[in-house]
Amino acid sequence: MNSDEMYEKMKAKLSRIVPDVELRYKAEIAVEINELKKQRNAVILGHNYMEPALFHSIPDFTGDSLDLSRKAAQTDKDVIVFCGVRFMAETAKILNPTKTVLLPAAKAGCSLAESISAADVRALKARFPGVPVVTYVNTYADVKAESDICCTSSNAAAVVDSLHAETVIFLPDEYLAKNVARETGKHIIFPSLNPAFAGEGGELDYQLIGWRGRCEVHEKFTLKDIQTVRAQFPEVVILAHPECSPEVTAAADFSGSTNAMIRYVQQSKAPHYLLLTECAMGDNVAAANPEKDMLRLCMVRCPHMNMITMEDTRDALKFNRYVIDVPEEIRVKAFQAVERMIKIG
Ligand code: 13P
Ligand code: SF4
């Protein structure tokens, strides 16, 4: 496909969302990327939060974390370029270690992944011996390696239920844990690792043990935001990612992973939607559903996802950067936790 054809393809989807001048510029970069992709026998995976021009041009597969980890595990290409953040690229390497995994922006992290270390998990295991550990995939490989099983936002409650355990350690997202507790009817505590506070929180009847990590994007949405938007758009249908607080998910009409939110909008008929998640996904959903009015609160953005640009994706393929490696002894342990999750679905 030449750049005129690429421009037409992007315009068909994005003419109401992205100014023409930007589409022409990015169509040229997309053609360069596709050429490099062929030369390097690469696959490009694009998370639902990628900016609309990138999202609608270069990825071979788009999706949520669970979906993309499956695609990473299955690919027979030599190179996986992950247009997402570091923990996602690490998960790809964990699942498919013989491939070269590239992350276009070296510093694309995640506030949840930064919130907990492997030493923290070991301390929790020492404090609650024998209690199985579930970790959200938004963690680094060494944290996954200390876990029994991983989960994503699309299967968190199913993963907890699959353990048939009286008590589960669920890390590191405070709000996802509270949302899972609400969904599964479990009582949650957030223990301090300081021995002086052991016993805080009434530790008699808890079933989930949480951690105080938060997504710096989703924690910012409030009940007041929902009330204000409902007052302005009485017919609005509100969708909230489960990394939002339980007050927000309870007041929303639907809560689910990024893929689940996309499906919900596709399948329902309401005229107005508010997506409480990264703003770029609102653009992508609006492009795919031109007859529906998509509201989004764009004062809140993920600085990490927004580091991934088309220019950096091109340069990742051109200069083979930034290569993601996971030490083998950590990878093998983390693989077990991620694979157990993937089998549950
Ligand atoms: P999903 O797994 O729902 O795509 O979420 C990933 C993420 O980072 C949300 O902030
Ligand atoms: Fe992490 Fe939140 Fe950004 Fe998702 S949106 S990558 S959870 S900081």
Side-chain angles (χ1 to χ4, degrees), residues 72-266:
Q74 290 158 0
T75 189
D76 58 0
K77 300 283 184 191
D78 297 329
V79 178
I80 301 172
V81 181
F82 216 118
C83 292
V85 292
R86 176 168 290 265
F87 76 81
M88 295 178 178
E90 271 192 3
T91 306
K93 186 71 184 177
I94 288 165
L95 287 166
N96 211 338
T98 60
K99 310 298 177 190
T100 299
V101 178
L102 302 177
L103 179 67
K107 292 195 176 140
C110 169
S111 64
L112 281 170
E114 300 297 333
S115 73
I116 192 160
S117 68
D120 293 329
V121 186
R122 285 193 290 273
L124 278 166
K125 290 200 288 192
R127 168 117 182 247
F128 300 98
V131 177
V133 179
V134 177
T135 49
Y136 195 26
V137 280
N138 296 39
T139 45
Y140 293 124
D142 55 346
V143 166
K144 290 185 173 80
E146 294 292 339
S147 315
D148 294 285
I149 185 164
C150 288
C151 73
T152 73
S153 59
S154 69
N155 61 16
V159 166
V160 168
D161 282 342
S162 77
L163 295 171
H164 303 293
E166 252 175 49
T167 310
V168 168
I169 298 174
F170 188 100
L171 309 170
D173 187 345
E174 172 185 345
Y175 287 161
L176 180 64
K178 284 179 171 169
N179 284 318
V180 168
R182 194 164 62 96
E183 202 179 320
T184 54
K186 297 192 190 309
H187 178 203
I188 185 164
I189 59 159
F190 292 88
S192 165
L193 288 179
N194 182 340
F197 295 106
E200 73 175 330
E203 294 189 13
L204 290 175
D205 65 344
Y206 60 84
Q207 291 119 350
L208 273 191
I209 296 162
W211 186 256
R212 300 258 189 218
R214 293 213 190 147
C215 163
E216 66 191 274
V217 177
H218 293 93
E219 72 167 346
K220 297 211 179 80
F221 299 123
T222 63
L223 187 54
K224 182 95 195 323
D225 294 335
I226 292 188
Q227 290 161 345
T228 309
V229 174
R230 283 204 198 279
Q232 192 182 349
F233 301 93
E235 292 180 352
V236 74
V237 170
I238 300 183
L239 296 86
H241 194 276
E243 291 168 9
C244 294
S245 75
E247 294 74 35
V248 166
T249 55
D253 299 293
F254 177 78
S255 176
S257 75
T258 55
N259 265 15
M261 286 193 269
I262 291 169
R263 271 196 306 273
Y264 187 99
V265 174
Q266 271 165 358

Side-chain angles (χ1 to χ4, degrees), residues 10-63:
M10 291 165 79
K11 192 175 144 196
K13 274 270 184 245
L14 299 172
S15 59
R16 293 173 320 113
I17 312 255
V18 182
D20 210 53
V21 61
E22 180 180 331
L23 286 181
R24 284 209 178 272
Y25 169 75
K26 291 192 172 164
E28 282 179 21
I29 304 180
V31 171
E32 261 188 275
I33 291 173
N34 284 343
E35 187 48 43
L36 287 160
K37 190 160 74 171
K38 249 187 264 154
Q39 284 170 19
R40 301 233 25 214
N41 192 28
V43 63
I44 300 185
L45 306 180
H47 186 262
N48 291 325
Y49 288 167
M50 290 298 102
E51 58 97 354
L54 186 159
F55 187 83
H56 286 97
S57 60
I58 53 168
D60 298 287
F61 300 100
T62 56

Side-chain angles (χ1 to χ4, degrees), residues 269-282:
K269 300 213 169 359
H272 305 292
Y273 298 83
L274 170 68
L275 296 179
L276 294 177
T277 193
E278 216 299 312
C279 176
M281 194 176 106

